[in-house]
Amino acid sequence: MASAAPVLEPVPLGRIVSCDGGMIEVSGLNAPIGTLCRARVAAGEHAPAAEVVGFRGGRSLMMLLGDTVRLQPGTLVRAEGHPGMVMVGEEFLGRAVDGTGSPIDGGPPVRAGQPWPLGGKRESALERASVEETFDCGVRTINALMTLGVGQRVGVMAGSGVGKSVLLDMMVSGADCDVAVIGLIGERAREVSDFVGRHMQGAKKMKTAIVAVPADHAANLRLRGAQFACALAEYFRAQGLKVMLVLDSLTRVAHAAREIALSLGEPGAARGYPPSALATITKLVERAGNAASTGGSITGLYTVLADGDDQADPVVDTARAILDGHIVLSREIAQRGLYPAIDVPGSLSRVMEHVAAPAHRRQARALRALIAALESNRDFLLMGAYRAGTDPQLDRAMALQDRIQGFLMQETHELASLPASVDALAALMGDG
């Protein structure tokens, strides 16, 4: 077979004329938005990479994917790769990479050869098939009381330190899926290392791909990491597979999008978030779902950090409006030592009515009512101000209180399948 003819066309170059923080201006290089570029440095030094994010006055605006060390005025810059495209494939299974697809697990470079749009392929709304099949996440409270569906997009919402990452860890371990794509965006580097150590071993390793960009990396690299994780999930869905996509966290992605938008001069709107930053959340979430043409699916699990435990935070509010359900974690419940600290009355799965059996839904509604009765009257009960017999539902909730608490609690290493969770719910609600 004859080898490909060498490319003899001249390589376009530009020069750095301005650098302000992570934003640089380059003259003489008219590259499309989304193009990756690299600065030319002395032999043996690492060449800094940048991404074209805009243009102004005939100059390309680029954001560095790393530090500004060793950059100087007049440094030559060249474009590389294909604008807006990334390489995906089965080669990423069992690997941990950064937002550019470069390995961080100490292994060899990933040689994937399937191009895919970094921003996804926009499809007709009718291409999104309905959610009709239950999704087993391995957590008893969620399986029984807010049953998820294959192709659903659900958010885990809480303040800092309440157990979002631990709950997500349990769901990743217990999920029933063909492929798991995990995006660890803007989190602590220690968490990334621990997560890779726990999940990239055994039989599940070759079903898992991890894209990790810690908090100390550039804003556009964090955003690119989230988009790359979605692109990987879309590729596997196109092969007809049942994919679980995890993004931890959606709030850090919004923070990265905010940094980029403010650097480009976009004014802040809702509590400092420019409109484009909140729109980024919608674009990412809408990439998950079921595909009618291939039969594949992406079940999306997104953590959402409520800054200051404020459930009216713009990111939380935007995510809740676009997601198909939300699991709220309560700091008050966590302070009682009850884990996972799920606020059952405040959590909801919008597809449970379509995927759960009638008897299951009836028992779930009954238990949710008992939990709500206990929580709303907790102060009266602690003060001894309640007289037995006044409220039959509260009387029943008090009689079952210990069993309800045991049902809601689950160790991090314990897995509860969907059938086992439904059976446990039936056994609990079968009494009186």
Side-chain angles (χ1 to χ4, degrees), residues 257-328:
R258 177 176 61 183
E259 289 182 42
I260 296 172
L262 293 177
S263 297
L264 291 172
E266 188 175 347
R271 298 194 187 179
Y273 286 96
S276 64
L278 299 180
T280 300
I281 297 176
T282 304
K283 292 177 182 177
L284 286 176
V285 170
E286 278 298 303
R287 295 174 68 171
N290 294 327
S293 57
T294 65
S297 65
I298 298 177
T299 303
L301 303 176
Y302 309 89
T303 63
V304 183
L305 174 65
D307 290 329
D309 291 343
D310 182 9
Q311 292 296 322
D313 180 82
V315 177
V316 177
D317 207 34
T318 300
R320 187 188 293 113
I322 193 67
L323 291 169
D324 302 320
H326 51 273
I327 300 167
V328 179

Side-chain angles (χ1 to χ4, degrees), residues 158-164 166 309 328-343 375 378 409:
S160 57
V162 186
K164 296 186 303 303
V166 174
D309 291 343
V328 179
L329 301 186
S330 167
R331 189 175 301 277
E332 182 181 352
I333 295 175
Q335 289 171 347
R336 298 180 210 158
L338 306 179
Y339 290 96
I342 299 175
D343 178 6
E375 290 296 327
R378 178 175 173 79
M409 293 181 64

Side-chain angles (χ1 to χ4, degrees), residues 128-145:
R128 287 288 176 263
S130 301
V131 178
E132 299 175 345
E133 180 185 348
T134 56
F135 180 82
D136 188 351
C137 69
V139 180
R140 183 168 46 249
T141 302
I142 299 174
N143 279 339
L145 301 182

Side-chain angles (χ1 to χ4, degrees), residues 28 48 54 154 157-158 160 170 176 221 267 272 291 325 333 364 421:
V154 63
M157 303 177 174
S160 57
M170 295 171 65
D176 178 18
L221 188 57
I333 295 175
S421 302

Side-chain angles (χ1 to χ4, degrees), residues 110-172:
V110 181
R111 303 296 184 186
Q114 178 65 45
W116 198 271
L118 182 63
K121 297 179 180 179
R122 183 165 294 176
E123 298 169 326
S124 165
L126 298 182
E127 167 62 14
R128 287 288 176 263
S130 301
V131 178
E132 299 175 345
E133 180 185 348
T134 56
F135 180 82
D136 188 351
C137 69
V139 180
R140 183 168 46 249
T141 302
I142 299 174
N143 279 339
L145 301 182
M146 50 210 75
T147 310
L148 306 181
V150 173
Q152 182 177 0
R153 296 83 55 86
V154 63
V156 179
M157 303 177 174
S160 57
V162 186
K164 296 186 303 303
S165 297
V166 174
L167 177 60
L168 212 60
D169 201 35
M170 295 171 65
M171 297 172 76
V172 170

Side-chain angles (χ1 to χ4, degrees), residues 140 143-145 352 357-367 370 396 400 403-404 407 417-432:
R140 183 168 46 249
N143 279 339
L145 301 182
M352 184 175 179
H360 176 194
R361 298 200 306 267
R362 184 171 59 253
Q363 292 162 353
R365 284 195 297 267
L367 181 54
L370 295 182
R396 186 187 181 199
L400 294 175
R403 293 185 60 189
I404 291 174
F407 177 86
S417 67
L418 180 59
S421 302
V422 175
D423 291 343
L425 173 64
L428 175 61
M429 300 311 296
D431 294 347

